[in-house]
Amino acid sequence: MEMRKLLANEQPPMELLLLADPSIKLVEEYIKRGEVFVGVISNEIIAVLVLLPTRPETIEIVNVAVAESKQGQGLGKQMVLYAISYAKLLGYKTIEIGTGNSGVSQLALYQKCGFRMTSIDRDFFIRHYPEAIYENGIQVVDMVRLSQDL
């Protein structure tokens, strides 16, 4: 998979972005402020990643998604590792990521990539999303925050 920045003349791949975050409003807000990267295979965008500077020397992965037909092939890990390398290259000292309390596979992936759990933002998904979200048969209520020193 080739990773590259979204080109100026390209529309962000909303269907992929919405796999990771069901709020069109929130996605539209952070893609304006962040950098959007896409994963491409055979000229087809099959993955997306959004990086957003949040504080001095800190950047956050606010969205990472792989097309459902391509999941389970290590592409998500490749994207997260790309984000870590990119953040280091730009001189950031910390990279962060958050996921829902029910995101078992995401929590495993991020820890395999070197992230450590730092906090829980209780009721995050209740406060920020008008409709209940379920994943793995569990309501997504809390945001589990992870970070990595670069």
Side-chain angles (χ1 to χ4, degrees):
M1 173 176 67
E2 173 201 348
M3 289 289 297
R4 64 169 173 79
K5 280 188 184 182
L6 188 71
L7 302 174
N9 63 339
E10 287 181 305
Q11 290 295 314
M14 287 303 287
E15 61 204 40
L16 287 175
L17 290 160
L18 293 171
L19 284 176
D21 186 339
S23 171
I24 293 172
K25 180 181 177 225
L26 290 177
V27 169
E28 287 176 343
E29 285 177 10
Y30 60 65
I31 62 175
K32 287 177 192 170
R33 297 180 296 135
E35 290 188 79
V36 180
F37 296 85
V38 291
V40 180
I41 296 177
S42 301
N43 293 322
E44 180 186 357
I45 294 175
I46 54 91
V48 66
L49 168 82
V50 182
L51 284 171
L52 181 67
T54 54
R55 294 185 304 282
E57 301 186 334
T58 301
I59 195 164
E60 181 176 351
I61 299 171
V62 292
N63 191 307
V64 59
V66 175
E68 291 177 300
S69 64
K70 302 290 185 188
Q71 291 178 6
Q73 300 176 27
L75 300 175
K77 183 175 185 179
Q78 185 178 338
M79 295 189 64
V80 171
L81 293 174
Y82 177 88
I84 293 166
S85 296
Y86 184 79
K88 284 180 184 177
L89 185 69
L90 293 181
Y92 285 96
K93 303 290 184 229
T94 304
I95 188 167
E96 299 177 329
I97 195 164
T99 192
N101 55 279
S102 58
V104 178
S105 60
Q106 295 94 316
L107 286 167
L109 168 64
Y110 304 149
Q111 290 176 87
K112 287 177 188 175
C113 291
F115 286 86
R116 301 214 32 217
M117 289 185 218
T118 54
S119 65
I120 296 174
D121 188 344
R122 295 179 60 84
D123 297 325
F124 177 89
F125 292 93
I126 303 293
R127 289 192 317 271
H128 296 281
Y129 294 82
E131 295 181 21
I133 304 167
Y134 288 86
E135 183 178 33
N136 298 317
I138 303 166
Q139 184 174 357
V140 184
V141 175
D142 303 320
M143 169 80 74
V144 179
R145 309 279 311 153
L146 302 95
S147 72
Q148 182 177 150
D149 292 334
L150 301 174

